[in-house]
Amino acid sequence: MPEKIRVLIVDDVATTRENIKKLMEFHPEVVAVGQAGTGEEAIAQAKTLRPDVVLMDINMPGMDGIEATERLSLEVPEASIIIMSVQGEQEYLRRAMMAGAKNYLTKPFTGDELIHAAKDAFNRDRKVRDVLRGKAGEKKQGKVISIFSGKGGVGKTTLAVNLAVALASRPSTKVVIVDADIQFGDVALTLNVLPRSTMADVVAEKDHLDDNTLAAYMTAYSDQLHVLAAPLRPEQAESVSGKLVGAVLKQLRQSYDLILVDTASAFNEATIAALDAADAVVVMAALDLLTVKNTKLALEIMQSLGYAEEKIMLVLNRATPEGGIEAKEVETTLKRTFATAIPTDGKTVVGALNKRIPFVLSHPAAAVSQQVTSIAAMVAPPREEISAGDAKNSRRFKFFGR
Ligand SMILES: Nc1ncnc2c1ncn2[C@@H]1O[C@H](COP(=O)(O)OP(=O)(O)OP(=O)(O)O)[C@@H](O)[C@H]1O
Ligand SMILES: [Mg+2]
């Protein structure tokens, strides 16, 4: 299947945007991945959607097409901009080309004219785009970290979200959080983002997932942290197969450094796909009898699925003993030790949840936040640490070499 040119349509008139979109529907070479009604919206959308081509109206109230072109050329340099204008805007058009537009279309245009301009801009910028998207060199090999617990309500989403935010605060680290709690996922709500599309929409792309396709389904929390949200309604979950979840995670490795996966506390298709795909699985437990029982079962199942011991990291949440069970006893029952423990802190954790701000941001000094940061360092050692280690080794090497 030849690659489709992914187009963002920018025009302040909604009917014009719709007409262009309809025009594109007759041409399989292109696909409209989004629409924007203002220059500001165009920049925000382009940053998230990473389109190949932006069709930019020149005349818009507020930030006009020229200013938006100028900014897009700097902020999303791999997108080729095609300016749309009406007859008699020659001077304007010249300025747009100076600002970085690659081609122009005079309204009204035909579908063929549109395709011709899009292909021309797409092919001319292909090399630049490949280099900027890292295709020319090595592809990314992002790491998948799945968060699971044998019992619900143990704190998976809380940890997944705060871990993702902590990891995305590292310089030039792209993180995505995938909500694989397909029926009752609440990552988007916890992060206070409103998804335009979800995993349920990705189903339509199942036969042609590629590097760029998935970008269209992401919701941006920040430049460095994206969210692939769970379907908004439980009944949409049926269409999301484990195979799809696996394929999505595999694909995301090429575009993100770290892929965090929140799961449901059930061994359903989506969970198993998330656990299979993971380089590391964080299993969360707590100090109550039912959780301990289910954690034990879950660990046994994971063992029977053939997961390596090193892949699993056991974390105790709400570690402050209240009900008479001690962490030590749980370790004995589970025949495993906890890698770390997160204290109970309802004031910080539930308070932050209700304000919909991740606590690692609102309360960075709190013990819970410090623990999340240390878990981040365990599941994904920061690059500085790796290079510091390398530097030490190389120094030692030099020392012996002399
Ligand atoms: N360390 C903690 N101290 C106090 N409260 C916590 C702590 N960790 C999580 N919570 C609270 O426990 C509740 C359940 O947490 P969360 O939703 O993250 O669990 P979950 O495992 O994702 O649940 P589900 O299985 O329903 O998806 C939330 O209200 C959360 O704020
Ligand atoms: Mg959850």
Side-chain angles (χ1 to χ4, degrees):
M1 171 133 191
E3 62 189 325
K4 283 183 185 244
I5 304 178
R6 304 174 58 257
V7 183
L8 172 67
I9 305 167
V10 187
D11 199 301
D12 56 320
V13 183
T15 45
T16 308
R17 295 198 301 268
E18 278 308 315
N19 287 339
I20 297 174
K21 189 171 173 228
K22 284 207 190 94
L23 206 56
M24 289 174 49
E25 280 164 8
F26 293 106
H27 298 270
E29 307 95 309
V30 290
V31 58
V33 292
Q35 297 187 17
T38 64
E40 287 87 350
E41 210 187 318
I43 291 164
Q45 291 257 25
K47 278 185 179 173
T48 319
L49 301 173
R50 298 279 153 181
D52 301 313
V53 167
V54 179
L55 279 180
M56 176 82 76
D57 183 27
I58 205 162
N59 245 325
M60 290 185 290
M63 186 193 292
D64 68 6
I66 295 174
E67 195 186 336
T69 299
E70 230 159 39
R71 289 200 34 200
L72 267 183
S73 313
L74 292 174
E75 294 180 37
V76 191
E78 76 265 33
S80 313
I81 301 161
I82 299 173
I83 279 285
M84 302 184 286
S85 73
V86 289
Q87 283 290 352
E89 290 180 322
Q90 292 310 319
E91 170 53 21
Y92 235 15
L93 212 53
R94 196 184 62 79
R95 283 176 47 211
M97 301 302 274
M98 299 277 287
K102 287 290 149 61
N103 209 333
Y104 67 91
L105 284 165
T106 310
K107 286 185 198 170
F109 44 80
T110 64
D112 286 338
E113 285 169 328
L114 167 65
I115 299 306
H116 183 77
K119 275 190 179 166
D120 171 66
F122 181 77
N123 288 328
R124 260 198 294 154
D125 281 342
R126 184 185 289 271
K127 278 216 176 76
V128 179
R129 205 170 39 242
D130 285 355
V131 170
L132 288 169
R133 286 183 181 160
K135 276 193 209 160
E138 281 216 342
K139 292 208 168 182
K140 264 194 211 292
Q141 244 323 309
K143 189 173 177 186
V144 177
I145 302 155
S146 297
I147 322 286
F148 178 73
S149 67
K151 180 105 181 65
V154 174
K156 297 178 294 294
T157 306
T158 306
L159 180 64
V161 161
N162 282 278
L163 209 46
V165 171
L167 291 166
S169 70
R170 292 180 183 172
S172 42
T173 305
K174 285 198 73 183
V175 181
V176 61
I177 176 161
V178 177
D179 198 340
D181 184 351
I182 305 292
Q183 270 198 312
F184 292 104
D186 34 31
V187 169
L189 182 69
T190 308
L191 278 173
N192 201 18
V193 293
L194 198 64
R196 277 171 190 257
S197 42
T198 73
M199 195 75 98
D201 305 300
V202 178
V203 175
E205 305 278 1
K206 67 177 189 300
D207 297 324
H208 33 87
L209 287 179
D210 66 35
D211 286 15
N212 301 325
T213 317
L214 283 173
Y217 298 93
M218 294 294 169
T219 306
Y221 173 77
S222 67
D223 275 359
Q224 278 176 251
L225 176 56
H226 292 174
V227 180
L228 180 52
L232 301 176
R233 301 206 45 85
E235 62 268 25
Q236 294 174 314
E238 252 172 65
S239 59
V240 182
S241 66
K243 197 169 156 220
L244 180 77
V245 173
V248 164
L249 294 177
K250 186 169 174 220
Q251 196 59 49
L252 289 174
R253 285 178 188 270
Q254 296 183 6
S255 331
Y256 294 89
D257 298 291
L258 296 163
I259 300 108
L260 275 276
V261 193
D262 188 16
T263 63
S265 292
F267 279 104
N268 56 29
E269 270 191 42
T271 305
I272 292 178
L275 299 179
D276 276 346
D279 299 290
V281 178
V282 177
V283 175
M284 299 192 79
L287 296 176
D288 70 85
L289 192 65
L290 300 182
T291 304
V292 174
K293 180 207 105 195
N294 283 14
T295 308
K296 192 169 165 57
L297 289 174
L299 289 171
E300 282 167 13
I301 292 172
M302 283 190 219
Q303 196 179 21
S304 68
L305 288 171
Y307 299 154
E309 287 273 308
E310 312 79 70
K311 175 164 156 171
I312 297 165
M313 178 176 161
L314 192 61
V315 169
L316 177 62
N317 191 20
R318 300 175 189 250
T320 321
E322 291 167 334
I325 305 184
E326 298 279 337
K328 273 266 160 286
E329 294 171 56
V330 179
E331 287 181 329
T332 312
T333 311
L334 299 179
K335 299 196 189 78
R336 282 190 80 110
T337 47
F338 289 114
T340 188
I342 305 171
T344 311
D345 182 358
K347 196 159 171 259
T348 304
V349 177
V350 184
L353 173 68
N354 292 340
K355 288 204 190 97
R356 300 211 238 158
I357 308 170
F359 58 76
V360 287
L361 295 180
S362 62
H363 297 78
V368 275
S369 303
Q370 304 279 324
Q371 275 316 98
V372 170
T373 313
S374 89
I375 295 172
M378 286 186 218
V379 290
R383 282 194 206 110
E384 300 85 72
E385 242 171 59
I386 298 170
S387 50
D390 288 350
K392 246 185 260 156
N393 288 340
S394 65
R395 235 178 286 137
R396 199 178 309 146
F397 180 72
K398 267 193 211 135
F399 181 72
F400 286 112
R402 254 192 298 181

